[in-house]
Amino acid sequence: MKRTLLISVLLSLFIILGVSIKGNKSATLNPQINLPDDCVDIKNFPGISQETTKIKKGKSGYFPDKTFAEGWESGEVFINDWYGKHLKTANEKSLLDTSDKDLELYRFTWLRTFHHPVIVRIEKQKDKVKIFFKELDGAGGYEPGKIFAEKENSIDKKDWCEFTKLLNDTDYWQMPSREKEIGGEDGSRWILEGVKENRCHIVDIWSPDKGKYREVGLFMLKLSGFDLDKNKDDLY
């Protein structure tokens, strides 16, 4: 009787210990991890973008045909030539030729009438994000000159997430490509091209002095290493 009771007690202890060990093992293999918030998804994509394989290129080869200067006689050809010659001088490729579906990229072309043309390009390939900066020694409203400075760097996930947030704040993929009015004689053009999943969108705005779209351009300049404080009087 005593032997039977002893066996029962030992068996109960074994079961209790087994449950405890199993519970501790489970807790070790599946710890509670507080993961950081991930990037927000791009809002309203594909929006009004176009499939790159179905796009007819304009004269310069850089932009879709009939993107610019609606209602302005010969404006389409003029602007294609104007923007295109700066990109060509900077040895930039047409984003319309992008064939890698996993590549997401954005190119900001900043053409100020009397100041150096600046081009900033962000490329995301899986988890790697790079930023490219080029500055020409000409003037955005005249001839491009030649390459004055160029560099490339990697940017971290935090900066990429901030960039995508700014894009969403502008609702970039739903923005019209051109303004209703062409703009003034002087000033600057803020041109932002985007390619995602082999779809392309372009927005061209004249001298934005405030608003979320301006913030996107300034943020890209900042990420590229362009000194915003030093050039604060020329951010037009």
Side-chain angles (χ1 to χ4, degrees), residues 114-162:
F114 305 111
H115 289 78
H116 288 178
V118 171
I119 298 164
V120 180
R121 175 168 34 90
I122 294 179
E123 295 187 358
K124 181 178 184 293
Q125 183 78 52
K126 295 183 179 179
D127 293 331
K128 294 182 179 180
V129 187
K130 288 188 174 184
I131 187 164
F132 302 83
F133 171 88
K134 295 179 181 180
E135 181 178 354
L136 307 179
D137 65 3
Y142 298 92
E143 293 302 314
K146 59 183 182 298
I147 294 177
F148 174 74
E150 62 180 321
K151 56 186 174 180
E152 68 175 82
N153 285 300
S154 296
I155 61 175
D156 59 24
K157 184 177 180 181
K158 178 177 177 293
D159 288 331
W160 170 255
C161 291
E162 179 63 23

Short mmCIF file of all heavy atoms in Angstrom, two decimals, residues 114-162:
data_model
loop_
_atom_site.label_atom_id
_atom_site.label_comp_id
_atom_site.label_asym_id
_atom_site.label_seq_id
_atom_site.Cartn_x
_atom_site.Cartn_y
_atom_site.Cartn_z
N PHE A 114 18.53 79.97 -62.76
CA PHE A 114 19.86 80.58 -62.73
C PHE A 114 20.89 79.81 -61.90
O PHE A 114 21.98 80.30 -61.67
CB PHE A 114 19.76 82.01 -62.19
CG PHE A 114 18.77 82.87 -62.93
CD1 PHE A 114 17.59 83.28 -62.33
CD2 PHE A 114 19.01 83.24 -64.25
CE1 PHE A 114 16.68 84.07 -63.02
CE2 PHE A 114 18.11 84.04 -64.94
CZ PHE A 114 16.93 84.45 -64.32
N HIS A 115 20.54 78.62 -61.45
CA HIS A 115 21.45 77.86 -60.60
C HIS A 115 21.73 76.48 -61.18
O HIS A 115 21.08 76.03 -62.12
CB HIS A 115 20.86 77.72 -59.19
CG HIS A 115 20.85 79.00 -58.42
ND1 HIS A 115 19.91 79.97 -58.63
CD2 HIS A 115 21.67 79.48 -57.45
CE1 HIS A 115 20.13 81.00 -57.83
NE2 HIS A 115 21.20 80.72 -57.09
N HIS A 116 22.71 75.82 -60.60
CA HIS A 116 23.12 74.50 -61.09
C HIS A 116 21.95 73.52 -61.09
O HIS A 116 21.20 73.43 -60.11
CB HIS A 116 24.22 73.92 -60.19
CG HIS A 116 25.54 74.60 -60.34
ND1 HIS A 116 26.65 74.26 -59.59
CD2 HIS A 116 25.95 75.62 -61.17
CE1 HIS A 116 27.68 75.02 -59.95
NE2 HIS A 116 27.27 75.86 -60.90
N PRO A 117 21.80 72.76 -62.15
CA PRO A 117 20.82 71.67 -62.16
C PRO A 117 21.25 70.57 -61.16
O PRO A 117 22.44 70.26 -61.04
CB PRO A 117 20.88 71.14 -63.60
CG PRO A 117 21.51 72.25 -64.39
CD PRO A 117 22.45 72.92 -63.46
N VAL A 118 20.28 70.01 -60.46
CA VAL A 118 20.55 68.97 -59.48
C VAL A 118 19.61 67.79 -59.73
O VAL A 118 18.42 67.97 -59.99
CB VAL A 118 20.35 69.50 -58.04
CG1 VAL A 118 20.43 68.36 -57.02
CG2 VAL A 118 21.40 70.56 -57.71
N ILE A 119 20.16 66.59 -59.63
CA ILE A 119 19.38 65.37 -59.84
C ILE A 119 19.66 64.42 -58.68
O ILE A 119 20.82 64.14 -58.36
CB ILE A 119 19.75 64.68 -61.17
CG1 ILE A 119 19.43 65.61 -62.35
CG2 ILE A 119 19.01 63.35 -61.33
CD1 ILE A 119 20.09 65.22 -63.64
N VAL A 120 18.59 63.96 -58.04
CA VAL A 120 18.71 63.00 -56.94
C VAL A 120 17.85 61.78 -57.27
O VAL A 120 16.67 61.91 -57.60
CB VAL A 120 18.25 63.61 -55.60
CG1 VAL A 120 18.38 62.58 -54.47
CG2 VAL A 120 19.04 64.86 -55.26
N ARG A 121 18.47 60.61 -57.18
CA ARG A 121 17.76 59.37 -57.51
C ARG A 121 17.86 58.39 -56.34
O ARG A 121 18.94 58.15 -55.81
CB ARG A 121 18.35 58.76 -58.79
CG ARG A 121 17.79 57.42 -59.18
CD ARG A 121 18.21 57.04 -60.61
NE ARG A 121 19.53 57.50 -60.97
CZ ARG A 121 20.65 56.79 -60.78
NH1 ARG A 121 20.59 55.60 -60.22
NH2 ARG A 121 21.82 57.29 -61.17
N ILE A 122 16.72 57.85 -55.93
CA ILE A 122 16.67 56.83 -54.87
C ILE A 122 16.26 55.50 -55.50
O ILE A 122 15.26 55.43 -56.23
CB ILE A 122 15.67 57.22 -53.77
CG1 ILE A 122 16.16 58.46 -53.02
CG2 ILE A 122 15.49 56.07 -52.78
CD1 ILE A 122 15.22 58.93 -51.93
N GLU A 123 17.02 54.45 -55.23
CA GLU A 123 16.73 53.12 -55.76
C GLU A 123 16.61 52.13 -54.62
O GLU A 123 17.50 52.03 -53.77
CB GLU A 123 17.84 52.66 -56.71
CG GLU A 123 17.97 53.50 -57.96
CD GLU A 123 18.96 52.90 -58.95
OE1 GLU A 123 19.57 51.85 -58.63
OE2 GLU A 123 19.12 53.48 -60.04
N LYS A 124 15.52 51.38 -54.61
CA LYS A 124 15.31 50.34 -53.60
C LYS A 124 15.26 48.98 -54.29
O LYS A 124 14.42 48.74 -55.16
CB LYS A 124 14.01 50.57 -52.83
CG LYS A 124 13.76 49.52 -51.74
CD LYS A 124 12.48 49.83 -50.99
CE LYS A 124 12.27 48.86 -49.84
NZ LYS A 124 12.01 47.47 -50.31
N GLN A 125 16.17 48.10 -53.90
CA GLN A 125 16.22 46.74 -54.43
C GLN A 125 16.14 45.80 -53.23
O GLN A 125 17.10 45.64 -52.48
CB GLN A 125 17.52 46.50 -55.20
CG GLN A 125 17.65 45.12 -55.84
CD GLN A 125 16.83 45.01 -57.12
OE1 GLN A 125 16.93 45.84 -58.01
NE2 GLN A 125 16.02 43.98 -57.21
N LYS A 126 14.96 45.22 -53.02
CA LYS A 126 14.69 44.39 -51.83
C LYS A 126 14.95 45.24 -50.58
O LYS A 126 14.30 46.24 -50.37
CB LYS A 126 15.52 43.12 -51.89
CG LYS A 126 15.13 42.22 -53.05
CD LYS A 126 15.90 40.92 -53.06
CE LYS A 126 15.45 40.05 -54.23
NZ LYS A 126 16.19 38.77 -54.31
N ASP A 127 15.93 44.84 -49.74
CA ASP A 127 16.15 45.57 -48.49
C ASP A 127 17.25 46.62 -48.59
O ASP A 127 17.58 47.28 -47.60
CB ASP A 127 16.52 44.58 -47.36
CG ASP A 127 15.35 43.67 -47.01
OD1 ASP A 127 14.20 44.11 -47.18
OD2 ASP A 127 15.59 42.52 -46.59
N LYS A 128 17.82 46.78 -49.76
CA LYS A 128 18.91 47.74 -49.93
C LYS A 128 18.40 48.99 -50.64
O LYS A 128 17.73 48.90 -51.67
CB LYS A 128 20.05 47.11 -50.73
CG LYS A 128 20.75 45.96 -50.00
CD LYS A 128 21.91 45.41 -50.82
CE LYS A 128 22.62 44.28 -50.09
NZ LYS A 128 23.75 43.73 -50.88
N VAL A 129 18.74 50.14 -50.08
CA VAL A 129 18.32 51.42 -50.66
C VAL A 129 19.54 52.30 -50.87
O VAL A 129 20.33 52.51 -49.94
CB VAL A 129 17.30 52.15 -49.76
CG1 VAL A 129 16.75 53.38 -50.49
CG2 VAL A 129 16.16 51.22 -49.35
N LYS A 130 19.70 52.79 -52.09
CA LYS A 130 20.82 53.67 -52.41
C LYS A 130 20.30 55.01 -52.91
O LYS A 130 19.20 55.09 -53.48
CB LYS A 130 21.73 53.04 -53.47
CG LYS A 130 22.56 51.88 -52.95
CD LYS A 130 23.58 51.43 -53.99
CE LYS A 130 24.51 50.37 -53.43
NZ LYS A 130 25.56 49.99 -54.41
N ILE A 131 21.11 56.04 -52.70
CA ILE A 131 20.75 57.36 -53.18
C ILE A 131 21.92 57.91 -54.00
O ILE A 131 23.08 57.75 -53.64
CB ILE A 131 20.39 58.30 -52.01
CG1 ILE A 131 19.86 59.63 -52.55
CG2 ILE A 131 21.57 58.50 -51.05
CD1 ILE A 131 19.13 60.46 -51.51
N PHE A 132 21.58 58.52 -55.14
CA PHE A 132 22.58 59.05 -56.07
C PHE A 132 22.35 60.55 -56.24
O PHE A 132 21.21 60.99 -56.41
CB PHE A 132 22.46 58.35 -57.42
CG PHE A 132 22.61 56.85 -57.36
CD1 PHE A 132 21.54 56.05 -57.02
CD2 PHE A 132 23.83 56.25 -57.63
CE1 PHE A 132 21.67 54.66 -56.95
CE2 PHE A 132 23.99 54.87 -57.57
CZ PHE A 132 22.90 54.08 -57.23
N PHE A 133 23.43 61.30 -56.19
CA PHE A 133 23.36 62.75 -56.31
C PHE A 133 24.24 63.20 -57.48
O PHE A 133 25.38 62.76 -57.62
CB PHE A 133 23.85 63.42 -55.02
CG PHE A 133 24.03 64.91 -55.13
CD1 PHE A 133 22.97 65.76 -54.87
CD2 PHE A 133 25.26 65.45 -55.46
CE1 PHE A 133 23.14 67.14 -54.97
CE2 PHE A 133 25.44 66.83 -55.55
CZ PHE A 133 24.38 67.67 -55.31
N LYS A 134 23.70 64.09 -58.32
CA LYS A 134 24.48 64.67 -59.40
C LYS A 134 24.16 66.17 -59.50
O LYS A 134 23.00 66.56 -59.40
CB LYS A 134 24.19 63.98 -60.73
CG LYS A 134 24.62 62.52 -60.77
CD LYS A 134 24.30 61.86 -62.10
CE LYS A 134 24.72 60.40 -62.09
NZ LYS A 134 24.41 59.71 -63.37
N GLU A 135 25.20 66.94 -59.71
CA GLU A 135 25.05 68.38 -59.89
C GLU A 135 25.82 68.78 -61.14
O GLU A 135 26.97 68.37 -61.33
CB GLU A 135 25.60 69.13 -58.68
CG GLU A 135 25.45 70.64 -58.77
CD GLU A 135 25.95 71.36 -57.53
OE1 GLU A 135 26.31 70.68 -56.55
OE2 GLU A 135 26.02 72.62 -57.56
N LEU A 136 25.17 69.54 -62.00
CA LEU A 136 25.82 70.04 -63.22
C LEU A 136 26.28 71.47 -62.99
O LEU A 136 25.78 72.16 -62.09
CB LEU A 136 24.84 69.97 -64.40
CG LEU A 136 24.18 68.60 -64.64
CD1 LEU A 136 23.22 68.68 -65.82
CD2 LEU A 136 25.21 67.51 -64.87
N ASP A 137 27.21 71.95 -63.81
CA ASP A 137 27.74 73.30 -63.58
C ASP A 137 27.10 74.36 -64.47
O ASP A 137 27.52 75.52 -64.49
CB ASP A 137 29.26 73.33 -63.73
CG ASP A 137 29.74 73.02 -65.15
OD1 ASP A 137 28.89 72.84 -66.06
OD2 ASP A 137 30.97 72.96 -65.36
N GLY A 138 26.02 73.97 -65.18
CA GLY A 138 25.30 74.95 -66.00
C GLY A 138 24.19 75.61 -65.19
O GLY A 138 24.30 75.79 -63.98
N ALA A 139 23.12 75.96 -65.88
CA ALA A 139 21.96 76.58 -65.22
C ALA A 139 20.70 75.87 -65.70
O ALA A 139 20.56 75.56 -66.89
CB ALA A 139 21.89 78.07 -65.53
N GLY A 140 19.78 75.63 -64.78
CA GLY A 140 18.59 74.85 -65.10
C GLY A 140 17.73 75.43 -66.19
O GLY A 140 17.05 74.70 -66.90
N GLY A 141 17.75 76.76 -66.33
CA GLY A 141 16.94 77.39 -67.35
C GLY A 141 17.67 77.61 -68.66
O GLY A 141 17.08 78.15 -69.61
N TYR A 142 18.92 77.19 -68.70
CA TYR A 142 19.73 77.41 -69.90
C TYR A 142 20.44 76.11 -70.29
O TYR A 142 19.80 75.07 -70.38
CB TYR A 142 20.71 78.56 -69.65
CG TYR A 142 20.01 79.87 -69.37
CD1 TYR A 142 19.70 80.26 -68.05
CD2 TYR A 142 19.62 80.71 -70.41
CE1 TYR A 142 19.03 81.45 -67.80
CE2 TYR A 142 18.94 81.91 -70.17
CZ TYR A 142 18.66 82.27 -68.86
OH TYR A 142 17.99 83.44 -68.61
N GLU A 143 21.73 76.16 -70.50
CA GLU A 143 22.45 74.96 -70.88
C GLU A 143 22.93 74.19 -69.65
O GLU A 143 23.29 74.81 -68.63
CB GLU A 143 23.66 75.32 -71.76
CG GLU A 143 23.27 75.88 -73.12
CD GLU A 143 22.39 74.90 -73.91
OE1 GLU A 143 22.73 73.70 -73.96
OE2 GLU A 143 21.37 75.35 -74.46
N PRO A 144 22.94 72.88 -69.72
CA PRO A 144 23.29 72.07 -68.54
C PRO A 144 24.75 72.13 -68.15
O PRO A 144 25.10 71.89 -66.99
CB PRO A 144 22.88 70.65 -68.95
CG PRO A 144 22.89 70.65 -70.44
CD PRO A 144 22.48 72.04 -70.84
N GLY A 145 25.63 72.43 -69.10
CA GLY A 145 27.06 72.43 -68.78
C GLY A 145 27.58 71.01 -68.74
O GLY A 145 27.30 70.19 -69.62
N LYS A 146 28.31 70.68 -67.68
CA LYS A 146 28.85 69.32 -67.51
C LYS A 146 28.71 68.91 -66.05
O LYS A 146 28.34 69.73 -65.20
CB LYS A 146 30.31 69.26 -67.95
CG LYS A 146 31.25 70.19 -67.21
CD LYS A 146 32.65 70.12 -67.77
CE LYS A 146 33.63 71.01 -66.99
NZ LYS A 146 33.24 72.43 -67.07
N ILE A 147 29.02 67.65 -65.76
CA ILE A 147 28.90 67.17 -64.39
C ILE A 147 29.90 67.89 -63.49
O ILE A 147 31.10 67.90 -63.74
CB ILE A 147 29.11 65.64 -64.32
CG1 ILE A 147 27.97 64.92 -65.06
CG2 ILE A 147 29.16 65.18 -62.86
CD1 ILE A 147 28.12 63.41 -65.10
N PHE A 148 29.38 68.51 -62.44
CA PHE A 148 30.18 69.27 -61.49
C PHE A 148 30.51 68.45 -60.25
O PHE A 148 31.60 68.54 -59.69
CB PHE A 148 29.41 70.54 -61.12
CG PHE A 148 30.02 71.37 -60.04
CD1 PHE A 148 31.15 72.14 -60.30
CD2 PHE A 148 29.49 71.38 -58.76
CE1 PHE A 148 31.72 72.91 -59.30
CE2 PHE A 148 30.05 72.16 -57.77
CZ PHE A 148 31.17 72.92 -58.02
N ALA A 149 29.54 67.65 -59.79
CA ALA A 149 29.74 66.80 -58.62
C ALA A 149 28.79 65.63 -58.69
O ALA A 149 27.67 65.74 -59.21
CB ALA A 149 29.50 67.60 -57.34
N GLU A 150 29.22 64.50 -58.19
CA GLU A 150 28.34 63.34 -58.10
C GLU A 150 28.81 62.42 -56.98
O GLU A 150 30.00 62.35 -56.68
CB GLU A 150 28.27 62.58 -59.43
CG GLU A 150 29.56 62.01 -59.93
CD GLU A 150 29.36 61.28 -61.25
OE1 GLU A 150 28.32 60.60 -61.42
OE2 GLU A 150 30.23 61.40 -62.11
N LYS A 151 27.86 61.72 -56.34
CA LYS A 151 28.18 60.78 -55.28
C LYS A 151 27.01 59.83 -55.07
O LYS A 151 25.89 60.08 -55.53
CB LYS A 151 28.51 61.51 -53.98
CG LYS A 151 27.41 62.46 -53.49
CD LYS A 151 27.87 63.25 -52.29
CE LYS A 151 26.84 64.30 -51.89
NZ LYS A 151 27.27 65.10 -50.73
N GLU A 152 27.30 58.74 -54.39
CA GLU A 152 26.24 57.79 -54.05
C GLU A 152 26.47 57.28 -52.64
O GLU A 152 27.59 57.19 -52.15
CB GLU A 152 26.18 56.63 -55.04
CG GLU A 152 27.36 55.68 -54.99
CD GLU A 152 27.15 54.48 -55.92
OE1 GLU A 152 27.41 54.62 -57.12
OE2 GLU A 152 26.72 53.43 -55.41
N ASN A 153 25.37 56.97 -51.97
CA ASN A 153 25.41 56.44 -50.61
C ASN A 153 24.26 55.49 -50.38
O ASN A 153 23.29 55.47 -51.17
CB ASN A 153 25.33 57.58 -49.58
CG ASN A 153 26.62 58.37 -49.45
OD1 ASN A 153 27.65 57.82 -49.11
ND2 ASN A 153 26.54 59.66 -49.74
N SER A 154 24.35 54.74 -49.32
CA SER A 154 23.23 53.91 -48.88
C SER A 154 22.43 54.70 -47.85
O SER A 154 22.99 55.53 -47.12
CB SER A 154 23.73 52.60 -48.26
OG SER A 154 24.42 51.82 -49.22
N ILE A 155 21.14 54.45 -47.80
CA ILE A 155 20.33 55.06 -46.74
C ILE A 155 19.65 53.94 -45.96
O ILE A 155 19.41 52.85 -46.48
CB ILE A 155 19.29 56.06 -47.30
CG1 ILE A 155 18.30 55.38 -48.25
CG2 ILE A 155 19.98 57.21 -48.00
CD1 ILE A 155 17.19 56.32 -48.72
N ASP A 156 19.36 54.22 -44.70
CA ASP A 156 18.82 53.17 -43.84
C ASP A 156 17.30 53.10 -43.93
O ASP A 156 16.65 53.92 -44.58
CB ASP A 156 19.28 53.35 -42.39
CG ASP A 156 18.86 54.70 -41.80
OD1 ASP A 156 17.86 55.28 -42.29
OD2 ASP A 156 19.53 55.16 -40.86
N LYS A 157 16.78 52.10 -43.24
CA LYS A 157 15.34 51.85 -43.31
C LYS A 157 14.53 53.01 -42.76
O LYS A 157 13.45 53.34 -43.27
CB LYS A 157 15.01 50.56 -42.55
CG LYS A 157 13.56 50.14 -42.64
CD LYS A 157 13.32 48.83 -41.92
CE LYS A 157 11.86 48.42 -42.01
NZ LYS A 157 11.61 47.14 -41.30
N LYS A 158 15.05 53.65 -41.72
CA LYS A 158 14.35 54.78 -41.11
C LYS A 158 14.12 55.90 -42.13
O LYS A 158 13.03 56.46 -42.22
CB LYS A 158 15.15 55.29 -39.91
CG LYS A 158 14.54 56.50 -39.22
CD LYS A 158 15.39 56.89 -38.01
CE LYS A 158 14.84 58.14 -37.34
NZ LYS A 158 14.98 59.33 -38.20
N ASP A 159 15.18 56.22 -42.89
CA ASP A 159 15.05 57.28 -43.89
C ASP A 159 14.12 56.87 -45.03
O ASP A 159 13.36 57.70 -45.54
CB ASP A 159 16.43 57.64 -44.44
CG ASP A 159 17.28 58.40 -43.44
OD1 ASP A 159 16.70 59.11 -42.59
OD2 ASP A 159 18.52 58.28 -43.48
N TRP A 160 14.20 55.60 -45.44
CA TRP A 160 13.31 55.13 -46.49
C TRP A 160 11.85 55.21 -46.03
O TRP A 160 10.97 55.64 -46.79
CB TRP A 160 13.66 53.69 -46.89
CG TRP A 160 12.63 53.06 -47.78
CD1 TRP A 160 11.70 52.12 -47.45
CD2 TRP A 160 12.40 53.33 -49.19
NE1 TRP A 160 10.93 51.79 -48.53
CE2 TRP A 160 11.33 52.52 -49.60
CE3 TRP A 160 13.03 54.19 -50.10
CZ2 TRP A 160 10.87 52.53 -50.91
CZ3 TRP A 160 12.54 54.21 -51.41
CH2 TRP A 160 11.48 53.38 -51.81
N CYS A 161 11.60 54.84 -44.78
CA CYS A 161 10.23 54.89 -44.25
C CYS A 161 9.71 56.33 -44.19
O CYS A 161 8.54 56.59 -44.47
CB CYS A 161 10.18 54.24 -42.87
SG CYS A 161 10.44 52.45 -42.88
N GLU A 162 10.59 57.25 -43.82
CA GLU A 162 10.20 58.65 -43.78
C GLU A 162 9.89 59.16 -45.19
O GLU A 162 8.94 59.93 -45.39
CB GLU A 162 11.31 59.49 -43.15
CG GLU A 162 11.03 60.98 -43.06
CD GLU A 162 9.84 61.31 -42.18
OE1 GLU A 162 9.50 60.49 -41.30
OE2 GLU A 162 9.25 62.40 -42.37
#
